[in-house]
Amino acid sequence: MSKITDLHAIEILDSRGQPTIKTTCTLEHGVRASASIPSGRSTGAAEALELRDNDAARYQGQGCKKAVDHVNKEILTSLRDRDFSTQQELDETLIALDGTDNKRRLGANAILSVSISFARAVAKSQEEPLYLAFSRLIKRQVERFPRLTINLFSGGRHAGKQIPIQDVLIVPASPESIDQSLVMMNNIYQAAAEIGLQRYGMRLLTADEGGLAPPFPNAEAMLEAAVTAIDNAGYKPGRDAHLALDVASSHFYRDGSYYLDETPISSSMMIERLEAWCSSYPIVSIEDGLSEDDWDYWPHLQEALGSRILVLGDDLLCTNPERIKKAVAARACNALLLKVNQIGTLSEAARAYGMARDAGWMVTISVRSGETEDDWAADLAVGWSGDQFKNGSITQSERLAKYNRLLEIENLTPMKIASWPN
Ligand code: PGA
Ligand code: ZN
């Protein structure tokens, strides 16, 4: 039993300088813990609603004072001095209090800040690491680290749209440790920065998640540069390191066509393009290869590539149990990209996770492009036995907070890394 005696939210700024919310939860006997909530830019249409003030005089309307107020007034009034025996009980109370289907009244940002700060306070009161407390929510033993998918190059909404596809990520193939994964990535990142300098005269022009963003003429040039960077760093592409893509194709899909190059292409042609990339480059995972609205063609994509790589749904699924159910029935993909703030409580994300596992899918635990220095996502990736962890690049403190947390966990509890293939 954990009794909440206080909740206190404030508005803070995220890695893009945009407002977000940080809530501190105090339990009986004075244990307290905080959680800060990230924010997406390449968002799925079906995500839970992140409440913004729409006051044009502050942060272009992006302020979070309303969400802060909801925690400090209505949510606190409702939860104060109440005992919660489980996370689920707390989360169900929050969902019922909000009363909408997408948390638009109180705000998914407000609700999630309470959900996670409570989980952290409970873990603290029981003197257990957060990742172990998280693992209890899904009733799974923690036996390994996720393999890292680390952002090397960015385009799309994260980088001024110089090319449509959003991320090319490096996946260390069979590292001994998190430490070794980061060493490899550092070498590849430096090699890639040199390529940017030689080819485009720009060494470190970075995107939202710290990925490099030189003005590649097309997606193939971005993929080729990633392979060259692996090679130049002294590793063998396809043996030592693989590639993962977040195509984020919802954002260049209009009226049934994909605007990947100047000439729009059909869904079938988009699938052929992805197949061609998989034949030419050492790709092990493709996220949002098709648009969130292109349900008819996702099963064809899964059919074409699902036996070779992870066909990951991000915008397609939005960590939403209803959408996952539909995707499982349609055989639309074989892996879930899990972002807790797409759905708004830990318990609902745990349900989404369970459904994905029941379907035999793999799971990538992901942060957002607007992050904070909070590191709870690293504990989630370990606690929920993610097959992959997607945390952006290896620069910028909001990313490093999570990698450093993984190093800290590894230092205390060395474990194997999920290798490819599993
Ligand atoms: P977001 O994008 O955090 O900007 O929504 C990340 C992603 O598409 O995976
Ligand atoms: Zn994505």
Side-chain angles (χ1 to χ4, degrees):
M1 283 291 200
S2 303
K3 185 185 277 186
I4 294 178
T5 57
D6 193 29
L7 291 168
H8 185 70
I10 61 168
E11 186 187 68
I12 62 166
L13 298 183
D14 72 13
S15 52
R16 284 192 279 250
Q18 296 283 356
T20 185
I21 182 169
K22 175 177 183 173
T23 291
T24 303
C25 172
T26 308
L27 301 179
E28 198 176 24
H29 311 305
V31 175
R32 67 171 63 182
S34 305
S36 303
I37 300 308
S39 170
R41 171 170 287 163
S42 171
T43 48
E47 293 196 20
L49 185 107
E50 188 181 81
L51 190 65
R52 299 284 178 181
D53 297 340
N54 294 321
D55 168 5
R58 297 185 74 250
Y59 299 106
Q60 300 81 44
Q62 297 297 301
C64 288
K65 294 281 191 194
K66 282 184 189 162
V68 163
D69 244 35
H70 286 157
V71 173
N72 292 342
K73 293 178 182 155
E74 186 174 339
I75 297 178
L76 174 60
T77 306
S78 164
L79 302 190
R80 189 172 11 217
D81 294 329
R82 279 173 69 175
D83 266 320
F84 295 96
S85 52
T86 61
Q87 181 74 36
Q88 198 172 346
E89 226 178 78
L90 171 87
D91 289 342
E92 278 169 8
T93 305
L94 289 165
I95 293 163
L97 186 65
D98 173 75
T100 69
D101 57 356
N102 67 348
K103 306 186 176 60
R104 64 184 171 275
R105 198 176 73 77
L106 296 172
N109 41 357
I111 289 172
L112 187 60
S113 73
V114 176
S115 182
I116 296 183
S117 60
F118 174 78
R120 202 175 234 161
V122 171
K124 201 168 164 187
S125 72
Q126 292 170 355
E127 295 181 6
E128 71 175 350
L130 186 57
Y131 72 89
L132 284 183
F134 280 153
S135 76
R136 243 179 279 299
L137 299 182
I138 55 154
K139 301 184 176 62
R140 250 180 107 114
Q141 296 275 4
V142 177
E143 284 162 354
R144 50 168 214 191
F145 285 105
R147 64 179 162 266
L148 303 182
T149 63
I150 311 171
N151 193 319
L152 183 66
F153 292 127
S154 285
R157 286 195 180 184
H158 289 173
K161 301 189 181 170
Q162 88 285 26
I163 65 158
I165 76 168
Q166 189 171 283
D167 302 308
V168 174
L169 307 106
I170 298 293
V171 191
S174 40
E176 292 285 299
S177 59
I178 294 291
D179 172 62
Q180 203 188 72
S181 307
L182 295 174
V183 167
M184 176 185 279
M185 185 60 202
N186 175 276
N187 290 332
I188 296 172
Y189 189 91
Q190 295 305 328
E194 277 307 304
I195 292 171
L197 180 63
Q198 284 156 15
R199 296 188 186 170
Y200 305 104
M202 47 183 65
R203 196 172 185 282
L204 290 176
L205 186 65
T206 63
D208 279 353
E209 298 189 7
L212 299 161
F216 293 115
N218 51 42
E220 285 78 9
M222 185 152 147
L223 286 160
E224 187 277 318
V227 172
T228 305
I230 295 172
D231 205 32
N232 289 357
Y235 304 105
K236 190 163 167 27
R239 185 193 66 192
D240 304 325
H242 294 124
L243 302 182
L245 306 184
D246 183 1
V247 183
S249 61
S250 306
H251 306 297
F252 55 88
Y253 176 75
R254 283 188 303 281
D255 304 324
S257 294
Y258 290 89
Y259 288 76
L260 186 57
D261 302 306
E262 264 158 36
T263 317
I265 57 175
S266 67
S267 302
S268 306
M269 288 161 82
M270 185 70 201
I271 294 172
E272 281 166 21
R273 192 72 167 266
L274 297 173
E275 280 187 272
W277 289 349
C278 288
S279 304
S280 306
Y281 308 102
I283 294 170
V284 294
S285 173
I286 296 186
E287 177 182 339
D288 283 349
L290 294 176
S291 160
E292 64 195 349
D293 296 323
D294 205 1
W295 280 96
D296 288 349
Y297 281 88
W298 272 90
H300 297 296
L301 175 63
Q302 161 66 15
E303 177 81 31
L305 290 174
S307 60
R308 290 155 64 188
I309 65 161
L310 263 70
V311 178
L312 259 173
D314 172 17
D315 293 354
L316 178 78
L317 305 171
C318 284
T319 316
N320 182 316
E322 291 306 314
R323 292 179 75 92
I324 293 169
K325 196 165 150 195
K326 182 173 168 182
V328 171
R331 296 177 191 273
C333 54
N334 63 16
L336 166 70
L337 189 96
L338 186 144
K339 294 166 169 167
V340 183
N341 77 327
Q342 284 181 325
I343 187 74
T345 62
L346 278 169
S347 304
E348 288 163 292
R351 221 179 110 222
Y353 176 93
M355 291 172 72
R357 289 295 188 205
D358 287 348
W361 290 5
M362 289 200 194
V363 178
T364 292
I365 309 283
S366 176
V367 306
R368 300 308 301 249
S369 54
E371 270 292 334
T372 72
E373 59 276 25
D374 198 329
D375 58 9
W376 58 260
D379 283 81
L380 194 76
V382 176
W384 285 12
S385 304
D387 300 291
Q388 300 185 152
F389 180 41
K390 183 174 178 233
N391 176 45
S393 198
I394 47 157
T395 59
Q396 305 183 175
S397 299
E398 81 281 3
R399 314 285 145 193
L400 298 172
K402 282 77 161 173
Y403 291 130
N404 289 341
R405 173 66 183 145
L406 292 183
L407 288 171
E408 198 171 66
I409 297 173
E410 179 168 80
N411 196 264
L412 291 170
T413 316
M415 289 181 284
K416 278 197 179 342
I417 307 222
S419 60
W420 175 265
N422 266 21

